[in-house]
Amino acid sequence: MVLTQTAAIFVDAYRELNARKLFWISVILSGLLAGVFAGIRIDETGVAIFGIDLSFIPATSETIRPDLLYKSLFLDLGVQYWLGFVATILALISTAGIFPDLITFGAIETVLSKPVGRLRLFATKYLAGLLFVTLQVGAFTVAAFLIVGIRGGAWEPRLFVAIPLVVLFFSYLFCVCVLIGLITRSTVASLLLTLLLWAALFIINFTDGILVTFNANFAIQEERTIARIERMERATVVQMRREAAARGESLPENYEPTLEELRAANGFLQPVDAELEDVRSRQESLKPWLDGVFAAKTLLPKTAETIDALKRLALSEDDLDRLANLNPESEAAQIRADQLRDDAAIEAAMRGEDTNENDNLFETGEAQRAGLAAMRSRSLIWVIGTSLLFELVILSIAAWIFCRRDF
């Protein structure tokens, strides 16, 4: 009896969503986008779409594997921009009125006149709202799986991870929409305030990304400056031995001058020491902001990072490196000081000259890559676990209001 009633409520909620035009608009648009993906071809001659040659795109099947191209299109365009943005807005518009309509127009009195508990009614309606996104993501993911398999020649079951992740991402926003709808009894208010929260989460995540990138930049600068000082000190010791030999003196093989002696012998070391202190000071002043934003993100749902987690789960490390176009740094510049032979090279090392280390880390993209790596190194348990805890708290408050308030 209980299961029959629950199934009836669930089917009724599904029919209500299914009757809305936005549901079918989303299905049609998902099908069109999947068709565009299927129309893209890449081979040894280049890229084409529906037979139209796109010679201006400098890519062939030798520079990027076909399966990797289709997976990238699915994850970047299909999931991040379509499912994670446009389709989510359409889903929120379609589902925002589930609870306000139920309690405003007296429908809840008809339902509660039957032996149905309020908590079960609340849970069933909430799950029906999530069904909207589940069907959308499921259909689009199946299409992407077939496209990658048929057109790319690689069958990737890991792509189906998109279904639970995108539904989780939507549920973070939907639970807030439900709570606001119960409090205000307004579909418009619940939708607008939920979108406002989503925008705030985007700003916080964007700020976190900037701070993490700056922190990574300072860490690289600190590491390079320390290595630079060490090379300058080694070059200074070599020069001190040569000067001693020129005076007819001989220094012991295990001779290690003190820091004061090194600074006295090489006047270029003190400015570099000051650079190191400046970098460490900047990094220390950044830390409270970094910790504060991280603490705020811990309490709030991680919408962007939940979507980004799909790449970590659906792609291998090799695929991620290929997509990011990460090229290993040349080690020649880093070991240059160890290979100093002549007087001119030693003198340059004593001054701390190193053109590679003078590069702007933001212009070369190294700071951004390090920041992105730091963001993606965060545990999925933290990303998803704390977000689910936020959702549990919000749903508990919403369920309490739904069960206790007279509508």
Side-chain angles (χ1 to χ4, degrees):
M1 181 66 177
V2 174
L3 292 178
T4 303
Q5 291 175 345
T6 303
I9 297 172
F10 192 80
V11 171
D12 180 67
Y14 166 73
R15 287 175 178 172
E16 181 182 348
L17 290 174
N18 194 36
R20 303 188 182 190
K21 295 181 180 180
L22 282 180
F23 178 84
W24 294 107
I25 290 175
S26 297
V27 171
I28 294 172
L29 290 178
S30 294
L32 290 175
L33 186 59
V36 172
F37 288 169
I40 297 175
R41 172 189 56 80
I42 184 170
D43 54 26
E44 62 278 358
T45 61
V47 181
I49 180 169
F50 298 115
I52 303 174
D53 184 38
L54 303 179
S55 56
F56 56 87
I57 299 180
T60 66
S61 57
E62 296 179 356
T63 58
I64 179 171
R65 299 195 318 267
D67 66 299
L68 187 57
L69 172 65
Y70 292 116
K71 285 188 287 187
S72 176
L73 289 173
F74 170 67
L75 296 174
D76 290 332
L77 296 179
V79 173
Q80 185 170 0
Y81 292 104
W82 168 240
L83 295 178
F85 183 69
V86 180
T88 297
I89 293 177
L90 295 178
L92 284 173
I93 294 174
S94 296
T95 58
I98 290 180
F99 283 92
D101 292 348
L102 178 66
I103 63 179
T104 301
F105 299 108
I108 189 173
E109 296 178 0
T110 304
V111 177
L112 292 179
S113 63
K114 303 173 183 178
V116 178
R118 285 199 174 199
L119 184 60
R120 181 151 55 95
L121 176 61
F122 175 85
T124 304
K125 288 287 187 179
Y126 182 76
L127 291 177
L130 296 183
L131 180 64
F132 182 99
V133 175
T134 304
L135 294 175
Q136 297 289 331
V137 180
F140 188 73
T141 303
V142 169
F145 174 76
L146 295 175
I147 292 171
V148 174
I150 297 173
R151 302 283 287 172
W155 300 95
E156 293 285 352
R158 288 186 295 183
L159 293 181
F160 288 101
V161 177
I163 298 176
L165 283 183
V166 175
V167 173
L168 272 177
F169 154 77
F170 176 77
S171 70
Y172 305 155
L173 300 173
F174 185 51
C175 70
V176 175
C177 190
V178 169
L179 176 60
I180 297 174
L182 289 173
I183 295 174
T184 64
R185 305 188 184 191
S186 169
T187 300
V188 175
S190 61
L191 177 61
L192 292 180
L193 291 176
T194 301
L195 293 177
L196 184 62
L197 171 68
W198 191 9
L201 293 175
F202 173 81
I203 293 174
I204 293 174
N205 186 69
F206 181 75
T207 303
D208 183 46
I210 292 177
L211 294 177
V212 169
T213 300
F214 272 106
N215 188 60
N217 175 60
F218 292 144
I220 295 173
Q221 285 184 344
E222 180 184 21
E223 180 182 352
R224 288 189 173 185
T225 305
I226 291 174
R228 183 181 173 191
I229 290 174
E230 291 175 351
R231 290 197 297 272
M232 292 173 68
E233 290 177 345
R234 289 197 298 269
T236 303
V237 173
V238 174
Q239 184 64 19
M240 292 172 67
R241 290 183 182 279
R242 292 188 176 185
E243 291 177 354
R247 296 192 302 267
E249 301 174 359
S250 176
L251 296 177
E253 285 295 330
N254 58 350
Y255 172 71
E256 294 184 3
T258 63
L259 294 178
E260 290 75 14
E261 291 174 334
L262 287 171
R263 269 65 186 166
N266 186 355
F268 294 105
L269 276 167
Q270 290 184 351
V272 182
D273 289 337
E275 289 181 21
L276 179 60
E277 289 300 319
D278 180 64
V279 170
R280 288 175 171 171
S281 175
R282 290 173 180 267
Q283 194 171 26
E284 190 65 25
S285 63
L286 179 67
K287 191 175 185 302
W289 293 94
L290 197 64
D291 293 342
V293 173
F294 182 80
K297 288 190 67 173
T298 301
L299 298 175
L300 296 170
K302 270 64 69 181
T303 52
E305 285 173 301
T306 299
I307 291 294
D308 192 63
L310 179 58
K311 287 187 178 180
R312 297 162 60 178
L313 296 174
L315 297 178
S316 64
E317 289 295 330
D318 180 63
D319 287 345
L320 287 173
D321 288 344
R322 288 177 181 273
L323 288 177
N325 194 27
L326 296 178
N327 297 317
E329 294 282 338
S330 172
E331 297 183 0
Q334 298 180 14
I335 64 175
R336 187 183 307 160
D338 297 332
Q339 301 172 342
L340 295 177
R341 302 293 184 185
D342 51 46
D343 294 341
I346 292 176
E347 182 181 353
M350 289 180 64
R351 293 195 299 268
E353 293 181 353
D354 193 323
T355 55
N356 182 65
E357 292 186 351
N358 290 332
D359 290 340
N360 187 307
L361 298 178
F362 286 96
E363 291 180 356
T364 62
E366 186 173 355
Q368 289 86 339
R369 291 194 296 271
L372 181 61
M375 293 280 286
R376 287 182 173 171
S377 67
R378 291 173 176 174
S379 169
L380 288 178
I381 297 177
W382 175 79
V383 173
I384 296 177
T386 55
S387 299
L388 285 176
L389 183 61
F390 169 87
E391 182 175 358
L392 178 61
V393 172
I394 297 298
L395 281 181
S396 299
I397 298 173
W400 183 84
I401 294 175
F402 187 80
C403 293
R404 300 287 294 179
R405 177 180 291 183
D406 291 329
F407 296 105

